[in-house]
Amino acid sequence: MADWAGFLGATMLWVKAAHIIFVIFLMAGLFMMPRFFVYHHQCAVGSDEDKKWIEREDRLRRIILNPSLTIVWVLGLLLAFNGNYWGETWFIAKFILVFALSGYHGWMIGYFKKLQQGQRPLTEKQLRLLNEVPGVAAAIIVILAVIRP
Ligand code: HEM
């Protein structure tokens, strides 16, 4: 075990609690945004409703999604170095999945920008299907983190 492992000491449990709290905020945002997109799609480009959805999505992105994703990453990496899990299969698998989930977050921000410009590249059905991605990913990530198979 590297000699810096365990550097968080007794604070580690607080860091882990904070990690999970911000994971909850992040997941709430990841579930809400595509729902917002579905409602957004139902109103005409340039209408007052369209502008209201752009405002709501922008606030969700700035106040919930971006800060929680950043905090989850910072705390998660602190925990990873503290536990020195880099050689462990469960952690590598979790890492790949959280990377993919961060990519999903990035895709959502990109889609928001398209909606802002009046584009609607996907259908409502496709958006509803994509909405399943964060739930499935979160279930696997939690099993990997807790059971550590
Ligand atoms: C973004 C990058 C992330 C990194 C680097 C990361 C890293 C870690 C590490 C190393 C631990 C173990 C702490 C320990 O017990 O020593 C942990 C715990 C945990 N993580 Fe993450 N995590 C990340 C994101 C997530 C996400 C997105 C979720 C859920 C969707 C999640 C859910 C959990 C849970 C539930 C635990 C507690 C497991 C337990 O101790 O029983 N993490 N995380």
Side-chain angles (χ1 to χ4, degrees):
M1 182 68 89
D3 50 4
W4 41 262
F7 62 91
L8 287 174
T11 324
M12 180 267 186
L13 287 178
W14 286 98
V15 174
K16 185 147 87 173
H19 177 66
I20 295 170
I21 291 165
F22 282 96
V23 160
I24 292 172
F25 296 158
L26 170 68
M27 293 314 303
L30 290 179
F31 288 136
M32 278 168 82
M33 193 66 120
R35 267 278 105 216
F36 278 17
F37 290 167
V38 170
Y39 298 135
H40 193 161
H41 265 230
Q42 288 163 358
C43 57
V45 175
S47 61
D48 280 352
E49 254 323 273
D50 184 32
K51 292 188 188 109
K52 277 187 199 149
W53 281 112
I54 292 172
E55 176 63 24
R56 290 175 191 128
E57 286 153 4
D58 196 37
R59 286 170 69 88
L60 184 63
R61 175 179 73 109
R62 281 185 292 112
I63 302 169
I64 312 265
L65 273 172
N66 291 353
S68 351
L69 185 73
T70 311
I71 296 170
V72 165
W73 265 103
V74 170
L75 300 179
L77 286 174
L78 268 175
L79 291 168
F81 281 106
N82 179 73
N84 196 17
Y85 297 125
W86 298 95
E88 296 181 28
T89 314
W90 70 270
F91 181 72
I92 304 299
K94 175 175 166 170
F95 200 75
I96 293 168
L97 271 172
V98 291
F99 223 86
L101 203 59
S102 305
Y104 177 82
H105 169 270
W107 165 80
M108 258 178 17
I109 303 303
Y111 198 80
F112 160 68
K113 294 200 171 138
K114 289 195 176 128
L115 286 174
Q116 215 176 12
Q117 292 158 8
Q119 301 170 30
R120 310 263 163 107
L122 294 179
T123 63
E124 266 180 45
K125 197 171 172 208
Q126 286 169 324
L127 283 173
R128 282 178 213 275
L129 264 173
L130 275 164
N131 212 350
E132 307 300 328
V133 171
V136 174
I140 303 172
I141 293 170
V142 170
I143 291 169
L144 286 169
V146 175
I147 316 275
R148 302 190 179 181

